[in-house]
Short mmCIF file of all heavy atoms in Angstrom, two decimals:
data_model
loop_
_atom_site.label_atom_id
_atom_site.label_comp_id
_atom_site.label_asym_id
_atom_site.label_seq_id
_atom_site.Cartn_x
_atom_site.Cartn_y
_atom_site.Cartn_z
N TYR A 361 -4.73 5.98 5.68
CA TYR A 361 -5.16 5.38 4.42
C TYR A 361 -6.67 5.46 4.24
O TYR A 361 -7.21 5.08 3.20
CB TYR A 361 -4.64 3.95 4.33
CG TYR A 361 -3.13 3.96 4.27
CD1 TYR A 361 -2.37 3.95 5.44
CD2 TYR A 361 -2.47 4.09 3.06
CE1 TYR A 361 -0.98 4.03 5.40
CE2 TYR A 361 -1.09 4.17 3.01
CZ TYR A 361 -0.36 4.15 4.18
OH TYR A 361 1.01 4.24 4.11
N LEU A 362 -7.35 5.99 5.23
CA LEU A 362 -8.75 6.37 5.09
C LEU A 362 -8.88 7.84 4.71
O LEU A 362 -9.92 8.26 4.22
CB LEU A 362 -9.49 6.13 6.41
CG LEU A 362 -9.72 4.67 6.81
CD1 LEU A 362 -10.19 4.59 8.26
CD2 LEU A 362 -10.74 4.02 5.89
N ARG A 363 -7.82 8.58 4.93
CA ARG A 363 -7.86 10.03 4.72
C ARG A 363 -6.99 10.44 3.55
O ARG A 363 -7.41 10.37 2.39
CB ARG A 363 -7.43 10.73 6.02
CG ARG A 363 -8.39 10.48 7.18
CD ARG A 363 -7.81 10.99 8.49
NE ARG A 363 -8.76 10.83 9.59
CZ ARG A 363 -8.45 10.92 10.87
NH1 ARG A 363 -7.21 11.19 11.24
NH2 ARG A 363 -9.37 10.75 11.81
N GLU A 364 -5.72 10.80 3.83
CA GLU A 364 -4.91 11.39 2.75
C GLU A 364 -4.36 10.37 1.75
O GLU A 364 -4.22 10.70 0.56
CB GLU A 364 -3.76 12.23 3.34
CG GLU A 364 -2.81 11.47 4.25
CD GLU A 364 -3.15 11.62 5.71
OE1 GLU A 364 -4.35 11.77 6.03
OE2 GLU A 364 -2.23 11.59 6.55
N HIS A 365 -4.03 9.16 2.16
CA HIS A 365 -3.46 8.17 1.24
C HIS A 365 -4.58 7.26 0.71
O HIS A 365 -4.62 6.07 0.98
CB HIS A 365 -2.37 7.36 1.94
CG HIS A 365 -1.27 8.19 2.51
ND1 HIS A 365 -0.71 9.25 1.83
CD2 HIS A 365 -0.64 8.13 3.71
CE1 HIS A 365 0.23 9.79 2.58
NE2 HIS A 365 0.29 9.14 3.73
N PHE A 366 -5.47 7.84 -0.06
CA PHE A 366 -6.68 7.14 -0.49
C PHE A 366 -6.56 6.53 -1.88
O PHE A 366 -7.53 6.01 -2.42
CB PHE A 366 -7.86 8.12 -0.50
CG PHE A 366 -7.59 9.35 -1.33
CD1 PHE A 366 -7.78 9.33 -2.70
CD2 PHE A 366 -7.13 10.51 -0.74
CE1 PHE A 366 -7.52 10.46 -3.48
CE2 PHE A 366 -6.87 11.65 -1.51
CZ PHE A 366 -7.06 11.62 -2.87
N GLY A 367 -5.37 6.55 -2.46
CA GLY A 367 -5.22 6.15 -3.85
C GLY A 367 -5.52 4.69 -4.12
O GLY A 367 -5.52 3.85 -3.22
N ASN A 368 -5.79 4.39 -5.39
CA ASN A 368 -5.98 3.03 -5.86
C ASN A 368 -4.60 2.44 -6.14
O ASN A 368 -3.83 3.02 -6.90
CB ASN A 368 -6.83 3.05 -7.14
CG ASN A 368 -7.19 1.65 -7.62
OD1 ASN A 368 -6.42 0.72 -7.54
ND2 ASN A 368 -8.40 1.54 -8.17
N PRO A 369 -4.26 1.30 -5.54
CA PRO A 369 -2.91 0.75 -5.74
C PRO A 369 -2.57 0.45 -7.20
O PRO A 369 -1.38 0.31 -7.52
CB PRO A 369 -2.95 -0.56 -4.92
CG PRO A 369 -4.03 -0.37 -3.92
CD PRO A 369 -5.06 0.48 -4.61
N SER A 370 -3.56 0.37 -8.05
CA SER A 370 -3.29 0.10 -9.47
C SER A 370 -3.05 1.38 -10.27
O SER A 370 -2.70 1.30 -11.44
CB SER A 370 -4.47 -0.67 -10.08
OG SER A 370 -4.62 -1.93 -9.47
N SER A 371 -3.24 2.53 -9.64
CA SER A 371 -3.05 3.80 -10.34
C SER A 371 -1.57 4.16 -10.43
O SER A 371 -0.84 4.02 -9.45
CB SER A 371 -3.80 4.92 -9.61
OG SER A 371 -5.20 4.68 -9.62
N ASP A 372 -1.18 4.65 -11.61
CA ASP A 372 0.23 4.94 -11.85
C ASP A 372 0.54 6.42 -11.60
O ASP A 372 0.95 7.16 -12.49
CB ASP A 372 0.61 4.55 -13.29
CG ASP A 372 2.11 4.61 -13.53
OD1 ASP A 372 2.86 4.55 -12.53
OD2 ASP A 372 2.52 4.73 -14.70
N HIS A 373 0.27 6.86 -10.36
CA HIS A 373 0.67 8.21 -9.95
C HIS A 373 0.99 8.14 -8.47
O HIS A 373 0.92 7.06 -7.85
CB HIS A 373 -0.43 9.25 -10.25
CG HIS A 373 -1.80 8.86 -9.81
ND1 HIS A 373 -2.13 8.56 -8.51
CD2 HIS A 373 -2.95 8.70 -10.52
CE1 HIS A 373 -3.41 8.26 -8.42
NE2 HIS A 373 -3.93 8.33 -9.64
N VAL A 374 1.35 9.26 -7.89
CA VAL A 374 1.88 9.24 -6.52
C VAL A 374 0.87 8.69 -5.52
O VAL A 374 1.23 7.95 -4.60
CB VAL A 374 2.36 10.65 -6.10
CG1 VAL A 374 1.19 11.64 -6.03
CG2 VAL A 374 3.09 10.59 -4.77
N TYR A 375 -0.41 8.97 -5.71
CA TYR A 375 -1.42 8.45 -4.78
C TYR A 375 -1.50 6.92 -4.88
O TYR A 375 -1.59 6.22 -3.87
CB TYR A 375 -2.79 9.07 -5.07
CG TYR A 375 -2.86 10.55 -4.79
CD1 TYR A 375 -2.64 11.48 -5.79
CD2 TYR A 375 -3.15 11.01 -3.50
CE1 TYR A 375 -2.70 12.84 -5.54
CE2 TYR A 375 -3.22 12.38 -3.24
CZ TYR A 375 -2.99 13.28 -4.25
OH TYR A 375 -3.05 14.64 -4.01
N GLY A 376 -1.49 6.44 -6.10
CA GLY A 376 -1.54 5.00 -6.30
C GLY A 376 -0.29 4.30 -5.81
O GLY A 376 -0.36 3.23 -5.21
N ARG A 377 0.87 4.92 -6.07
CA ARG A 377 2.13 4.30 -5.64
C ARG A 377 2.22 4.22 -4.13
O ARG A 377 2.71 3.23 -3.58
CB ARG A 377 3.31 5.06 -6.23
CG ARG A 377 3.47 4.84 -7.74
CD ARG A 377 4.83 5.29 -8.22
NE ARG A 377 5.03 6.73 -8.07
CZ ARG A 377 4.68 7.64 -8.96
NH1 ARG A 377 4.08 7.27 -10.08
NH2 ARG A 377 4.93 8.92 -8.75
N ARG A 378 1.75 5.26 -3.44
CA ARG A 378 1.77 5.21 -1.98
C ARG A 378 0.89 4.07 -1.45
O ARG A 378 1.26 3.36 -0.52
CB ARG A 378 1.29 6.54 -1.41
CG ARG A 378 2.32 7.65 -1.47
CD ARG A 378 1.73 8.95 -1.01
NE ARG A 378 2.69 10.04 -1.09
CZ ARG A 378 2.37 11.33 -1.05
NH1 ARG A 378 1.08 11.67 -0.96
NH2 ARG A 378 3.30 12.26 -1.11
N ALA A 379 -0.26 3.92 -2.06
CA ALA A 379 -1.16 2.84 -1.64
C ALA A 379 -0.53 1.48 -1.94
O ALA A 379 -0.59 0.56 -1.11
CB ALA A 379 -2.50 2.97 -2.35
N ALA A 380 0.07 1.35 -3.11
CA ALA A 380 0.70 0.08 -3.49
C ALA A 380 1.85 -0.26 -2.56
O ALA A 380 2.05 -1.42 -2.17
CB ALA A 380 1.18 0.14 -4.93
N GLN A 381 2.63 0.75 -2.18
CA GLN A 381 3.73 0.52 -1.26
C GLN A 381 3.23 0.07 0.11
O GLN A 381 3.82 -0.80 0.76
CB GLN A 381 4.57 1.80 -1.13
CG GLN A 381 5.38 2.12 -2.37
CD GLN A 381 5.90 3.55 -2.39
OE1 GLN A 381 5.67 4.32 -1.44
NE2 GLN A 381 6.61 3.91 -3.44
N ALA A 382 2.11 0.65 0.54
CA ALA A 382 1.55 0.27 1.84
C ALA A 382 1.05 -1.17 1.81
O ALA A 382 1.23 -1.93 2.77
CB ALA A 382 0.41 1.21 2.20
N VAL A 383 0.42 -1.58 0.70
CA VAL A 383 -0.04 -2.96 0.56
C VAL A 383 1.15 -3.91 0.56
O VAL A 383 1.11 -4.97 1.21
CB VAL A 383 -0.89 -3.12 -0.72
CG1 VAL A 383 -1.16 -4.59 -1.01
CG2 VAL A 383 -2.20 -2.35 -0.59
N ALA A 384 2.21 -3.54 -0.14
CA ALA A 384 3.40 -4.39 -0.20
C ALA A 384 4.03 -4.55 1.18
O ALA A 384 4.46 -5.64 1.56
CB ALA A 384 4.40 -3.81 -1.19
N ALA A 385 4.09 -3.45 1.94
CA ALA A 385 4.66 -3.53 3.29
C ALA A 385 3.82 -4.41 4.20
O ALA A 385 4.35 -5.19 5.01
CB ALA A 385 4.79 -2.12 3.87
N ALA A 386 2.51 -4.29 4.08
CA ALA A 386 1.62 -5.14 4.89
C ALA A 386 1.78 -6.60 4.49
O ALA A 386 1.77 -7.50 5.34
CB ALA A 386 0.17 -4.70 4.70
N ARG A 387 1.93 -6.86 3.21
CA ARG A 387 2.10 -8.23 2.74
C ARG A 387 3.36 -8.85 3.34
O ARG A 387 3.37 -10.00 3.77
CB ARG A 387 2.16 -8.26 1.21
CG ARG A 387 1.89 -9.65 0.62
CD ARG A 387 2.04 -9.66 -0.90
NE ARG A 387 1.28 -8.63 -1.56
CZ ARG A 387 -0.01 -8.73 -1.87
NH1 ARG A 387 -0.67 -9.84 -1.55
NH2 ARG A 387 -0.64 -7.75 -2.48
N GLU A 388 4.43 -8.07 3.38
CA GLU A 388 5.68 -8.55 3.99
C GLU A 388 5.47 -8.88 5.45
O GLU A 388 5.95 -9.90 5.95
CB GLU A 388 6.76 -7.47 3.83
CG GLU A 388 7.29 -7.28 2.42
CD GLU A 388 8.35 -8.30 2.05
OE1 GLU A 388 8.73 -9.12 2.90
OE2 GLU A 388 8.80 -8.28 0.88
N ALA A 389 4.74 -8.02 6.17
CA ALA A 389 4.55 -8.21 7.60
C ALA A 389 3.71 -9.44 7.89
O ALA A 389 4.03 -10.24 8.78
CB ALA A 389 3.91 -6.97 8.22
N VAL A 390 2.61 -9.60 7.17
CA VAL A 390 1.72 -10.73 7.41
C VAL A 390 2.41 -12.03 7.01
O VAL A 390 2.35 -13.04 7.73
CB VAL A 390 0.39 -10.56 6.66
CG1 VAL A 390 -0.51 -11.77 6.88
CG2 VAL A 390 -0.32 -9.29 7.13
N ALA A 391 3.08 -12.02 5.86
CA ALA A 391 3.79 -13.21 5.42
C ALA A 391 4.89 -13.57 6.42
O ALA A 391 5.10 -14.75 6.74
CB ALA A 391 4.38 -12.99 4.03
N GLY A 392 5.56 -12.57 6.95
CA GLY A 392 6.62 -12.82 7.92
C GLY A 392 6.11 -13.48 9.18
O GLY A 392 6.80 -14.29 9.81
N LEU A 393 4.88 -13.14 9.58
CA LEU A 393 4.30 -13.71 10.79
C LEU A 393 4.11 -15.22 10.67
O LEU A 393 4.16 -15.93 11.68
CB LEU A 393 2.96 -13.03 11.09
CG LEU A 393 2.25 -13.43 12.39
CD1 LEU A 393 3.11 -13.09 13.61
CD2 LEU A 393 0.89 -12.75 12.48
N ILE A 394 3.93 -15.72 9.44
CA ILE A 394 3.72 -17.16 9.25
C ILE A 394 4.89 -17.82 8.52
O ILE A 394 4.79 -18.96 8.08
CB ILE A 394 2.40 -17.44 8.50
CG1 ILE A 394 2.38 -16.77 7.12
CG2 ILE A 394 1.20 -16.97 9.32
CD1 ILE A 394 1.18 -17.17 6.26
N GLY A 395 6.01 -17.09 8.40
CA GLY A 395 7.20 -17.67 7.80
C GLY A 395 7.08 -17.95 6.32
O GLY A 395 7.68 -18.90 5.81
N ALA A 396 6.34 -17.11 5.61
CA ALA A 396 6.08 -17.33 4.19
C ALA A 396 6.69 -16.21 3.35
O ALA A 396 6.86 -15.09 3.83
CB ALA A 396 4.57 -17.40 3.94
N PRO A 397 7.00 -16.47 2.09
CA PRO A 397 7.42 -15.39 1.19
C PRO A 397 6.24 -14.48 0.89
O PRO A 397 5.09 -14.94 0.80
CB PRO A 397 7.90 -16.12 -0.06
CG PRO A 397 7.23 -17.46 -0.02
CD PRO A 397 7.04 -17.79 1.43
N ALA A 398 6.51 -13.19 0.75
CA ALA A 398 5.43 -12.22 0.57
C ALA A 398 4.57 -12.53 -0.65
O ALA A 398 3.35 -12.36 -0.63
CB ALA A 398 6.01 -10.82 0.46
#
């Protein structure tokens, strides 16, 4: 995500969607660590 997946999560194209998906996955993981909804 420093190299090829550099998109802005707010952008509505494949680069942005990949970034947004990565943020969403991280949110799930961090929230899960503390027993919270994402």
